[in-house]
Amino acid sequence: MIVVDQHLLWTFFASQFCFVLLYTLRRRNSSNANKIKLKKKNFPEDCAKQRLADRECPLVDGSRTDVVIVGAGVAGAALAYTLGKEGRQVRVIERDLTEPDRIVGELLQPGGYLKLVELGLEDCVEEIDAQRVLGYALFMDGKNTRLPYPLEKFQSDVAGRSFHNGRFIQRMREKAATLPNVQLEQGTVTSLLEENGTIRGVQYKTKDGQEHKACAPLTIVCDGCFSNLRRSLCNPKVDVPSCFVGLVLENCQLPFENHGHVVLADPSPILFYPISSTEVRCLVDVPGQKLPSIANGEMSNYLKTVVAPQIPPELHDAFISAIDKGNIRTMPNRSMPADPHPTPGALLMGDAFNMRHPLTGGGMTVALSDIVVLRDLLKPLHDLNDATSLSKYLESFYTLRKPVASTINTLAGALYKVLLASPDQARKEMRQACFDYLSIGGMCSTGPVALLSGLNPRPTSLVLHFFAVAIYGVGRLLLPFPSPKRMWIGARLISSASGIIFPIIKAEGVRQMFFPATIPAYHRAPPV
């Protein structure tokens, strides 16, 4: 009986041992199988990463690309040349490399020309029949005043330049293409390549429909006002306050040679400036987004009956002749404050990032100024693959550009609203005060024109002159004898002026515009 119990006992222990052993072995086998499955699952992803780096992003001329630039307009072409000259391997992808034909981007202010010189691109305004611009002429109610640029302290070649936009862009593209480390390629960028929150490049489609990828540690998007990539890199709050109607006047003489002309018409300003030795660009601003139809003749009738009677007599016949030729073009005027999402590996520039009303012709000045800021920021960074350092520097760019860009943006938005015709008496007085203030001469003229030309883009100077105009308007109302009605209009004038400029400053960012040194990103910039 005892013997039987011992056998049973050992049998029981042996069976338990075998059970535990089998269970352990099966669990180990299962674990190994899962690891194999995990490896198999990760293997395609690893292959995909390797393929992205090595196959889909091939070497360009035997070297890896440092910077991919989307767009080869004014900003993209100038940036490609600038970074290429710094020794970077640059790849530019542009939707259409043929000569553009636009009715804006034709006037480069003197401040923008100085940036062009600083970038070594001043010869791009040569051999394109560009015209020197020495200031503005302002027309209102049969009166006119000349506003010269304050150029006394500069060399003789420093002035504004006006030209055909497409010719200027082609010259910059050609100059960028002369650098062996800059490659220009025609293709339509469809999306940004993102990996773990970092932009690694772009995907684009060539003219024959083939899909390609271009990878680099830094991708700069400057694909213009119609950008389809900006939404992933900023908060695009686009406003369209008006549209330009463009005409080309031929073989006519401007009242003031080598000057831009601004007619304070009703309902909004009309611009004239030379774009070649035989052509004058006319831009008629039409408030709102609804335009008279060109197809059924409404536009021609509007230009002849509403606009033509308000322009200088010297230009009237050429204006009518240009309408009769029928080459009338339109362009919406967009405004968009810079409101970026700082994104590792990517940067926005040009009209893709920041727009202002083109009345003051400040867009190219802002773009070229931004390129100088970025060039100086990147100089100490020999290896752009250092994602952490690169990200900090790129965030600094958005802060360092603010004082200059915001001054030009604010001036454009505020001046456009001041120069609009209005039935409101306070706004009428503000408009008249602006014309009279600029007509005084001295600092009342040179100060605002220095701001307009980009020669003195200081935000404090802008605010001081803006409210000086408002106070001058109030003084005109109260002298020689104030009345309750005039005092009330004066108070409304100050209120109206505040209502114009303060919302624009708020959108640009008060702290970034006036106190950039209080922002931590300002101090991350490398010493230059």
Side-chain angles (χ1 to χ4, degrees), residues 144-414:
N144 64 70
T145 184
R146 192 173 71 89
L147 308 172
Y149 291 135
L151 301 172
E152 298 81 10
K153 298 178 182 178
F154 299 96
Q155 295 179 353
S156 59
D157 66 311
V158 177
R161 296 291 193 281
S162 52
F163 38 67
H164 282 268
N165 172 268
R167 296 176 188 174
F168 179 55
I169 288 174
Q170 287 301 89
R171 285 280 288 160
M172 288 203 292
R173 288 174 179 175
E174 289 165 7
K175 184 151 187 176
T178 61
L179 298 176
N181 51 328
V182 175
Q183 180 194 16
L184 270 73
E185 186 175 352
Q186 187 162 296
T188 302
V189 175
T190 54
S191 63
L192 298 170
L193 299 176
E194 185 179 342
E195 183 184 322
N196 300 324
T198 299
I199 303 301
R200 299 297 186 190
V202 298
Q203 183 163 317
Y204 67 100
K205 187 181 291 187
T206 55
K207 195 173 182 180
D208 58 6
Q210 293 185 15
E211 294 275 357
H212 296 276
K213 289 183 171 66
C215 300
L218 176 58
T219 300
I220 302 177
V221 176
C222 32
D223 54 346
C225 60
F226 299 105
S227 174
N228 63 341
L229 302 176
R230 65 161 67 104
R231 287 193 175 277
S232 55
L233 300 174
C234 76
N235 297 313
K237 298 171 185 174
V238 181
D239 181 35
V240 183
S242 67
C243 295
F244 269 156
V245 179
L247 296 163
V248 174
L249 281 57
E250 296 179 341
N251 300 310
C252 63
Q253 191 70 35
L254 287 166
F256 294 89
E257 191 177 1
N258 298 113
H259 281 66
H261 292 57
V262 182
V263 181
L264 304 190
D266 187 355
S268 54
I270 307 164
L271 306 180
F272 296 93
Y273 52 86
I275 55 173
S276 75
S277 54
T278 60
E279 298 166 301
V280 170
R281 169 66 71 194
C282 171
L283 294 174
V284 178
D285 185 84
V286 180
Q289 300 179 36
K290 186 174 176 58
L291 289 170
S293 171
I294 295 176
N296 64 14
E298 286 180 4
M299 179 65 78
S300 294
N301 184 59
Y302 173 81
L303 294 174
K304 287 181 177 180
T305 58
V306 177
V307 179
Q310 302 185 72
I311 67 174
E314 300 93 326
L315 301 173
H316 183 273
D317 291 346
F319 183 76
I320 298 297
S321 177
I323 297 169
D324 291 337
K325 283 185 179 178
N327 189 20
I328 303 171
R329 300 176 59 192
T330 63
M331 176 78 180
N333 295 324
R334 291 173 171 80
S335 176
M336 185 182 77
D339 189 8
H341 296 309
T343 306
L347 195 72
L348 272 170
M349 291 191 78
D351 284 348
F353 173 46
N354 184 202
M355 293 180 281
R356 76 291 309 148
H357 195 285
L359 173 70
T360 58
M364 289 188 287
T365 302
V366 171
L368 295 170
S369 175
D370 284 355
I371 290 169
V372 171
V373 171
L374 183 63
R375 178 200 64 183
D376 294 343
L377 265 177
L378 295 181
K379 260 182 183 175
L381 272 181
H382 301 294
D383 182 13
L384 297 183
N385 288 290
D386 185 350
T388 305
S389 296
L390 180 61
S391 182
K392 288 180 179 179
Y393 286 3
L394 295 185
E395 196 172 340
S396 297
F397 165 79
Y398 292 126
T399 302
L400 292 171
R401 69 177 293 275
K402 265 294 180 180
V404 172
S406 295
T407 301
I408 293 172
N409 295 344
T410 304
L411 176 65

